[in-house]
Amino acid sequence: MEFWNSLWNIIWVIVSCFVFIAYLIALFSIITDLFRDRELNGWWKALWLVFLLFVPFITSLVYLIARGKGMSERSYKAAVGNANAVEDYIRTVSQASPSDEIAKAKALFDAGTINADEYDQLRAHAMNQVNSKAGSAQA
């Protein structure tokens, strides 16, 4: 219990934990970049991993200095690719086709949730979307 009585010991533990966590983040970033790089030969990847295992701190510094620019470019490309994939997925999921809207309106009408006038309005709205898309495609 003597260890926790000194403020400097507590500060040293906090700083040590911070440095260790920062090192782990850098290490996992390097390993991720190694497997993301399609231009690097498999033997070079294995060599980097062996050096990371036996001489981790120096190898991490050498890797960041030698391949840091390419690492940031690959990371940027992966982030942009992921963002585009998410946007494409959201676009495909969020846009219902007019036939889907008419089918949903028909199901609501059959269930008695909406009346005939509301069904006709929803169907007309869906048909207007089809006509507006066809008109914009012709222009």
Side-chain angles (χ1 to χ4, degrees), residues 53-125:
L53 182 66
F54 291 112
V55 193
F57 187 72
I58 294 172
T59 306
S60 298
L61 287 176
V62 169
Y63 189 89
L64 291 174
I65 292 168
R67 299 179 47 91
K69 184 177 180 183
M71 186 175 177
S72 64
E73 290 170 359
R74 284 184 291 277
S75 178
Y76 176 75
K77 286 180 185 178
V80 168
N82 289 340
N84 290 338
V86 167
E87 288 174 4
D88 291 341
Y89 175 74
I90 290 172
R91 258 188 239 107
T92 59
V93 172
S94 66
Q95 295 177 349
S97 68
S99 61
D100 291 338
E101 291 183 22
I102 292 172
K104 289 177 187 175
K106 180 66 174 160
L108 290 172
F109 177 68
D110 291 342
T113 307
I114 60 174
N115 60 27
D117 292 334
E118 292 170 329
Y119 171 72
D120 290 337
Q121 288 175 352
L122 290 173
R123 194 178 79 203
H125 178 69

